[in-house]
Amino acid sequence: MSNLTTVDLNFFAVAPLITLAAAGLVVLVLELVLPAERSRPWWYAAGLGGIALALYYVALLWSGPAAGPAASIIGAGLWGRVTNGISVFGGAYVVDRFTLLFSGIVLIAAFCTVLLSTARRDEDMPGYVALVLGAALGMCVLAGAGNFLTLFLGLEILSLNLYVAVAFERHNAAAKEAALKYLILGALATAAMVYGFAFLYGQTGTMSLSGLARGWEADSTVLMKVGLGLVLLGLAFKLALAPFHVWAPDVYQGATAPITAFMSVGTKAAAFAALVRVLLALMPEESPELLLPLWVLAVASMVVGSLSAAVQTNVKRLLAYSGVAHVGYLMMALLGMNHQGVSAGIFYMAAYLFMNIGAFAVVVSLGKNGREGEELSDFTGLFYRRPGLALAMTLFMLSLAGMPPAAGFQGKLYLVFSALGSGAGGAALWLVGALVVTTGISAYAYLRVVTTMFRRSEAQAELADAGHVEAAPAGLVNAGEGGGTGASVAGEGPLSWALTVVVAVAVIGTLYLGVAPQSMLALTRHVLPLP
Amino acid sequence: MTVEILQGYLILSGILFAIGAAGLLLRRSPLVMLMCVEIMLNAANLAFIAFARYWGDMTGQIFTFLVVTVAAAEVAIGLAIIVLLFRHRDAADVDDVNALRG
């Protein structure tokens, strides 16, 4: 038991977390001190700046400062150890490359979310930005949790912020309903998880994940098995693994599209990171069949997610079910708990970040008259109105379906390789088989969106027959329709710069990871002490 | 603390957890559902304190304080959402909250 004097209070190692918390407070204070009509750009800038600064610190912790003031303040001793991972605050928080990678994914998602929200004109938008920053903080805490206290705290920081963020739209009853469902089921999951922590603590007498590993080797009792099961149940809820996914479609539909995008990527990344850390500590090496329920959940997620996605008419719900299927694929990374698997999982998460944020950015940019372009009918004939946006959406859909040359294809490929190389035998074959079958099923769901975009709406078809449609201008920003007299195109201006940036980043990210995956994979190698 | 006493506490906490879970799944009032979540969290707290006594280790008791604090925040947010949702309705019943489905 370490006493206070030996606890390593290394504040620089948690600089990204401090930055996020401080930026959230700055945003809220700026709203108070600046005149209301002029404060708007300032607190968006403060939010984006805070996230960018946190990203800078993540990069700094990754590589270490070459020279300069930062190096002299913290001393050179830290840098040699960060690549191998250091734990600070008495083992509560672990800063290693695994933490930094997931922090990076979460922060990029948060940055895109704030950018996507700049068009919103709701009351109390500073609160909204502060909630996004708070949720990102919770996700970063979760990714680096070194013991149960930090794990619980990270999970709750992200959940509490997201409950409020989901309920944010004041006059939207669906948002309130979604928030209530999310809250009740989320609280149930949290309670189950805390009970699981209690059992694991009772068996081993320690809260730290590194200490647990030793406890498991001693003997695996009923207490330990039930504890592990309850913790996995809690994380499965947050990951939206079937059958614990029932909240996901409702919450994704009820929340605003930027928040949904953030939730789908950030929560999954953070919960996946926590799951890897828990399994790293608790992997029952002598009895791998204890994890069989997890593989069953993974197959169920793939099947339920793909089948349900195929019948949705709401694109947000479709993406929710697609997320359920994708988490199922993601579980394949854990089959062997080896370097190859974790590396494939991180790569898949990065690919999912870009393709999913991109898809939600398109949903946001189709919004008009105060509602979002979330119905499939909003996509009808999109190619003839905004060819650039339609082509971007086509890329995201193909990537989600797992087709080359997009990132989703490479991601699935590495997951399959890691599963087959895991030595898990039958479970691996089942998962790979399910992946192949459900990829085929879900391709229908995604291609339905694509074909809808390339089908002319009735108004457009009439104009086309009459020869009124001129060649649509190329380019993303000014992709209005040439003969903009159809009813469906009324009120569509050019995309805002913020939306353009997010769509462009998502397109570049999706293509880059798909064409040159080695650069990302090199980052993900040997980030955890694994066989 | 002997193992027998520890078992007694664990059985009590198990009963509490089961009551909470059953209430959460069966009751239809969001207020009662929130209370059931509290019961479940307190069942975990009881188990934590019993184990902390058993091991002679303070960390388990610290965790309990953390859980109590976070549960208070969770209930505050939960109540706020319930008030928002049911402001324009007569009775608070989750069966009425069914606009989202599919």
Side-chain angles (χ1 to χ4, degrees):
Chain A
M1 194 68 208
S2 57
N3 59 37
L4 263 182
T5 50
T6 61
V7 169
D8 186 4
L9 297 179
N10 191 330
F11 287 103
F12 191 80
V14 292
L17 308 181
I18 297 174
T19 312
L20 285 174
L25 293 176
V26 166
V27 168
L28 290 177
V29 171
L30 276 181
E31 188 207 10
L32 293 177
V33 297
L34 292 177
E37 65 275 14
R38 282 196 290 119
S39 69
R40 191 178 173 76
W42 290 102
W43 38 256
Y44 274 127
L48 290 172
I51 299 171
L53 189 60
L55 264 173
Y56 167 74
Y57 279 129
V58 167
L60 202 62
L61 283 166
W62 179 280
S63 58
S72 58
I73 290 170
I74 46 158
L78 179 63
W79 302 115
R81 293 181 291 146
V82 154
T83 43
N84 300 323
I86 52 167
S87 46
V88 292
F89 295 92
Y93 192 69
V94 183
V95 182
D96 53 15
R97 300 207 140 179
F98 184 76
T99 307
L100 295 176
L101 274 174
F102 277 98
S103 300
I105 290 175
V106 165
L107 290 172
I108 292 173
F111 196 86
C112 293
T113 305
V114 176
L115 274 182
L116 287 180
S117 313
T118 47
R120 302 195 65 83
R121 287 286 180 272
D122 299 279
E123 288 174 66
D124 198 29
M125 282 306 281
Y128 177 99
V129 175
L131 286 171
V132 172
L133 289 168
L137 168 68
M139 291 166 189
C140 292
V141 169
L142 193 54
N147 60 22
F148 289 154
L149 293 118
T150 325
L151 218 159
F152 173 68
L153 206 56
L155 195 73
E156 284 302 284
I157 295 174
L158 92 86
S159 299
L160 294 181
N161 279 290
L162 285 180
Y163 296 150
V164 183
V166 167
F168 194 78
E169 275 191 298
R170 178 165 292 180
H171 301 292
N172 184 351
K176 310 287 184 292
E177 176 181 338
L180 183 70
K181 286 177 174 171
Y182 192 24
L183 178 99
I184 298 280
L185 288 174
L188 173 68
T190 307
M193 202 156 144
V194 172
Y195 205 44
F197 288 159
F199 282 175
L200 294 175
Y201 171 68
Q203 177 67 45
T204 60
T206 177
M207 287 275 183
S208 88
L209 288 170
S210 51
L212 271 175
R214 293 188 288 278
W216 184 273
E217 285 157 18
D219 49 26
S220 55
T221 59
V222 177
L223 216 54
M224 202 83 170
K225 287 173 189 163
V226 174
L228 178 62
L230 284 171
V231 172
L232 289 185
L233 187 144
L235 286 174
F237 252 111
K238 291 292 162 192
L239 280 167
L241 270 171
F244 307 115
H245 71 289
V246 285
W247 57 272
D250 290 353
V251 172
Y252 282 30
Q253 187 186 348
T256 62
I259 291 294
T260 310
F262 185 46
M263 251 182 1
S264 64
V265 175
T267 312
K268 279 193 181 70
F272 178 70
L275 185 59
V276 171
R277 285 203 187 278
V278 168
L279 288 184
L280 187 64
L282 286 171
M283 190 69 173
E285 283 182 15
E286 72 278 11
S287 49
E289 72 277 1
L290 281 182
L291 285 181
L292 188 63
L294 195 60
W295 315 138
V296 175
L297 291 190
V299 172
S301 297
M302 295 182 202
V303 173
V304 171
S306 326
L307 285 177
S308 310
V311 296
Q312 300 303 320
T313 56
N314 182 306
V315 176
K316 274 155 110 185
R317 281 189 96 82
L318 190 154
L319 288 171
Y321 281 115
S322 128
V324 173
H326 281 283
V327 171
Y329 304 145
L330 199 55
M331 289 303 109
M332 293 169 71
L334 303 172
L335 268 170
M337 270 319 271
N338 52 16
H339 276 303
Q340 200 191 2
V342 169
S343 171
I346 298 173
F347 181 85
Y348 201 75
M349 217 47 245
Y352 188 69
L353 161 76
F354 288 117
M355 55 202 190
N356 215 37
I357 290 271
F360 278 108
V362 173
V363 171
V364 173
S365 51
L366 289 184
K368 55 192 174 204
N369 308 330
R371 54 173 284 279
E372 285 164 335
E374 58 184 84
E375 293 298 329
L376 202 54
S377 55
D378 292 327
F379 286 77
T380 311
L382 183 67
F383 180 71
Y384 306 100
R385 289 179 280 148
R386 289 175 161 177
L389 207 55
L391 288 177
M393 188 68 173
T394 307
L395 175 70
F396 302 140
M397 287 294 129
L398 290 181
S399 184
L400 284 166
M403 291 183 196
F409 169 72
Q410 300 283 5
K412 273 184 185 158
L413 206 59
Y414 291 121
L415 282 178
V416 169
F417 284 155
S418 78
L420 292 178
S422 67
L429 290 180
W430 270 99
L431 282 171
V432 171
L435 179 136
V436 171
V437 172
T438 55
T439 296
I441 299 171
S442 63
Y444 169 74
Y446 302 121
L447 291 179
R448 207 158 58 112
V449 177
V450 174
T451 51
T452 309
M453 289 191 296
F454 284 87
R455 193 170 57 227
R456 287 175 198 276
S457 65
E458 286 177 16
Q460 286 171 331
E462 285 169 18
L463 284 171
D465 290 341
H468 282 299
V469 175
E470 298 151 23
L476 196 61
V477 181
N478 295 318
E481 194 191 20
T485 49
S488 61
V489 288
E492 287 189 32
L495 282 185
S496 77
W497 64 268
L499 284 174
T500 316
V501 167
V502 175
V503 173
V505 164
V507 167
I508 293 169
T510 309
L511 278 178
Y512 180 74
L513 289 183
V515 174
Q518 271 71 28
S519 49
M520 177 72 199
L521 279 174
L523 293 182
T524 63
R525 290 232 169 82
H526 304 287
V527 288
L528 279 179
L530 283 168
Chain B
M1 192 194 261
T2 62
V3 176
E4 288 75 33
I5 300 177
L6 177 67
Q7 279 174 346
Y9 279 112
L10 287 187
I11 291 170
L12 176 61
S13 97
I15 293 172
L16 279 176
F17 192 83
I19 291 174
L24 190 66
L25 298 174
L26 299 177
R27 295 299 293 268
R28 301 270 63 107
S29 159
L31 290 171
V32 176
M33 290 166 99
L34 275 184
M35 284 160 66
C36 289
V37 169
E38 291 294 297
I39 294 175
M40 292 168 78
L41 284 173
N42 281 323
N45 282 346
L46 184 64
F48 260 115
I49 292 174
F51 281 130
R53 270 300 271 176
Y54 178 74
W55 286 105
D57 177 44
M58 289 300 285
T59 345
Q61 305 198 19
I62 296 170
F63 196 102
T64 306
F65 281 113
L66 204 68
V67 172
V68 169
T69 320
V70 170
E74 196 156 346
V75 168
I77 289 173
L79 288 178
I81 291 172
I82 292 171
V83 168
L84 275 176
L85 189 56
F86 293 101
R87 187 177 276 166
H88 302 297
R89 302 182 198 208
D90 301 332
D93 189 321
V94 285
D95 285 337
D96 299 335
V97 189
N98 56 4
L100 291 173
R101 53 175 60 198

